[in-house]
Structures are given as C-alpha cells and as structure tokens.
Amino acid sequence: MMLPAGEVRIYLACGITDMRKGFHSLAAQVQTVLQHDPYSGAIFLFRGRRGDLIKCLFWDRQGMCMYVKKLDRGRFVWPQAKDGVVSLTMAQFSMLLESIDWRNTAWTIRPEVVV
C-alpha cells in the first residue's frame, strides 16, 4: 500500500460501515460522523458488517485515495464500540492490515544480556 509521506495520523471508524459507499460517501461520513477533515492527509479506516473487508481513505494532496482489502479467511480486529473513532499508531495499522490483534500487543523477545 502506498502511504502518505511523513508522520500520518490514522483513525479507525468504530461500528459498521456500508461497504457499498465510495469516495464521496466515506469522505462525508468522516466529516459529519467522525468530525474530522477528510482532506487533512490522515488515514481513515472503515469495516464492513462481516468483518472481512476494510476500506482505507486518505487524501494524498492530489486526490482522494482508497485502499480496499478483503480477507479470504478470518476477520479484521475491530473495537466493540457502536460509534466514535479510535486513533492508531503506524505499527497498530500494519498489524490490523495483516489481521493481527493490534489491541493487546506485548514484547515477545526479552534481552538475554545487558551490554
């Protein structure tokens, strides 16, 4: 996925989104429901009812871009809240795209020797 350069804010739209929506409808949802500017350069994530499809919407200073991913198996991990927005880090976003549970991450490797 081609991402905007620099530090990027990432917002996940809680709840279920109608996946028939396109650029304009999702941008309007960002503006009215999430209370954010869709042209700010931030990435906005939406998930469908079944949980196996997400859409990422962002403005790249030339036009609106949409990235869509559908899983063959499994579901994307999503908050249980019915509405609102959750802010993610780039690491959490990467885990979400790989359908890894990004909510409860822990270090798995512990240093053996202190240098």
Side-chain angles (χ1 to χ4, degrees), residues 2-5 38-42 57-65:
M2 295 178 60
L3 294 173
Y39 303 106
S40 65
L57 186 74
F58 64 95
W59 175 258
D60 73 351
R61 290 181 253 158
Q62 292 178 336
M64 192 64 76
C65 300

Side-chain angles (χ1 to χ4, degrees), residues 32-104:
T32 57
V33 178
L34 304 180
Q35 301 293 315
H36 285 283
D37 179 14
Y39 303 106
S40 65
I43 298 172
F44 299 95
L45 303 166
F46 304 91
R47 188 183 89 156
R49 180 172 301 282
R50 290 189 316 215
D52 63 345
L53 179 70
I54 61 169
K55 288 187 177 182
C56 305
L57 186 74
F58 64 95
W59 175 258
D60 73 351
R61 290 181 253 158
Q62 292 178 336
M64 192 64 76
C65 300
M66 186 183 310
Y67 172 80
V68 180
K69 183 169 183 177
K70 182 172 181 2
L71 296 175
D72 290 332
R73 290 179 298 193
R75 297 172 183 250
F76 290 103
V77 177
W78 220 251
Q80 295 298 318
K82 298 281 186 209
D83 57 359
V85 66
V86 173
S87 182
L88 300 179
T89 65
M90 188 57 80
Q92 290 171 324
F93 177 58
S94 296
M95 286 187 280
L96 178 104
L97 288 180
E98 296 297 325
S99 68
I100 299 170
D101 191 349
W102 54 270
R103 298 168 301 174
N104 188 17

